[in-house]
Amino acid sequence: MKKILNRDSNVVEEMLSGYVKAYNRYYEQIPGHNAFMYKGRRKNKVALVIGGGSGHEPLFSGFAGRGLADAVACGNIFASPNPQLILETAKAVHEEKGVLFIYGCYSGDNLNFDMAEELCEFDDIKTAHVRVWDDCASAPKERIEDRRGIAGDIYVIKVAGAACDAGLELEEVLRITEKARDNINTIGLATSPGSIPGLDKPTFELGENEIEFGMGLHGEQGIERTTMKPASELVDRMYRELKAEMDIKENDEVAILVNGLGSTTLLELNIVYNELAKHLEKDKVVVHDSEIKNFCTCQEMGGFSITILKLDDELKKYYDTECFSPYYAREEIR
C-alpha cells in the first residue's frame, strides 16, 4: 500500500511538526511532546483539552483554535495519548479555572484520560471530562456508555469551546457540553477499508460490492453487511435509524453533519446530503445549519457518516458563536 511517509515509527511526530510549522501563526508545540496549543487562546477561563489517536485527521488536531479547543494531545496512530502526555498538555494551558477533557469513548482513551486526571490532582488542577458516545450503531441505548465516539466529537468540541470562551465555571461548561453530547447521534457505513501507516494489509476486509452499516472507525463490526445500493437507499436506511434513535419530530431544529471517512469524494457526499434533505423536508424538520466535509477519517477509508445534533435555544447559542481553525471555521449565524 503506497503511503507518503519517511520512517513508520515517526509518522505522528512528523505529521504534527508539519502542521504546527505550517500554521505557526496559530499554534506552538508543547516542547518534547506530541501536543500543541493555540497561541491566541483567551485567558482566565476553563481550558479545553481534546485528544485521541492520530490517523483521523482533521480530528483532533484540526479542532484547536478560536472558539474551539485550547490544546490537543496526539496519540500514536489509532492509539490513545498516554497519561503523562495528557497531563503536560493540560498543564500548558491551565489558567486556574480548571480543565475540561473531551475525547471519544474508547477503552484506551477512557483509561488514560482517567489516569491523567488523577495526575492533575497532584498539581491541584481541577478537571472534568466528557466522553463522546454518538455512534448509535455500536451499542443499544441501554448501554449508551459503551457506544463509540465518532464524527459527533466535532459538535461537542464546538459547543464546549464556546462555553469555555464565555467564561463559565467548569461545572457549567461540563453541564452544557454533556447536554450537547446527549443530543447528538451518528451512524456511518463503510464501502472500503482504511489502512495503518507501515502495514501492508488494510484495516479490515470488505468485498468489492459489499458495504457495512454501522462499521466502526477502525473497522469494528457494524450492524449489517450487505451489497452496495444507490445513495437514496443508503441514506433512507441511515435516516430511519437516526430518526428512531432520536425521536425526531416535525419542527425539531437540528444541525446536520455529513462526514466523509477519507476516500469518499465531495461529489458523493453532496449527493448524500441531497437525499438526506429530502427526508428532513418531508418530515418538516428545521435544519438550522449543515456541514459536508471530511472531519473524522480513517486513512482513506471509504464511506460516510451522518450526524444529527438536536438543538434548543441554549445549545444554539453556543453552536452559533464564531470559531476558527485552519480546518473548521464558522461565522456567526444571524
Side-chain angles (χ1 to χ4, degrees), residues 47-114:
L48 177 58
V49 173
I50 62 175
S54 298
H56 303 298
E57 288 69 29
L59 186 72
F60 287 91
S61 57
F63 291 87
R66 178 164 57 88
L68 297 167
D70 297 294
V72 184
C74 301
N76 288 325
I77 300 295
F78 303 161
S80 171
N82 65 61
Q84 190 65 36
L85 170 58
I86 299 166
L87 170 66
E88 296 300 328
T89 308
K91 288 167 65 176
V93 294
H94 180 226
E95 294 281 347
E96 308 301 328
K97 301 282 285 186
V99 177
L100 176 66
F101 295 109
I102 295 178
Y103 50 94
C105 185
Y106 295 89
S107 56
D109 291 294
N110 296 345
L111 176 65
N112 285 352
F113 275 90
D114 280 351

Side-chain angles (χ1 to χ4, degrees), residues 107-162:
S107 56
D109 291 294
N110 296 345
L111 176 65
N112 285 352
F113 275 90
D114 280 351
M115 292 176 66
E117 287 195 70
E118 292 177 7
L119 295 174
C120 285
E121 287 184 19
F122 291 110
D123 286 299
D124 293 324
I125 298 175
K126 188 176 180 182
T127 65
H129 66 261
V130 174
R131 296 173 180 170
V132 182
W133 47 54
D134 59 309
D135 185 359
C136 60
S138 57
K141 187 174 283 188
E142 56 268 25
R143 292 196 293 112
I144 194 168
E145 294 185 5
D146 292 334
R147 288 178 173 179
R148 301 181 290 256
I150 47 177
D153 282 279
I154 281 73
Y155 281 157
V156 179
I157 294 166
K158 169 70 194 77
V159 169

Side-chain angles (χ1 to χ4, degrees), residues 209-224:
N209 198 38
E210 286 185 320
I211 61 171
E212 185 158 329
F213 287 98
M215 178 166 270
L217 203 55
H218 312 95
E220 298 95 335
Q221 186 176 7
I223 53 177
E224 181 185 353

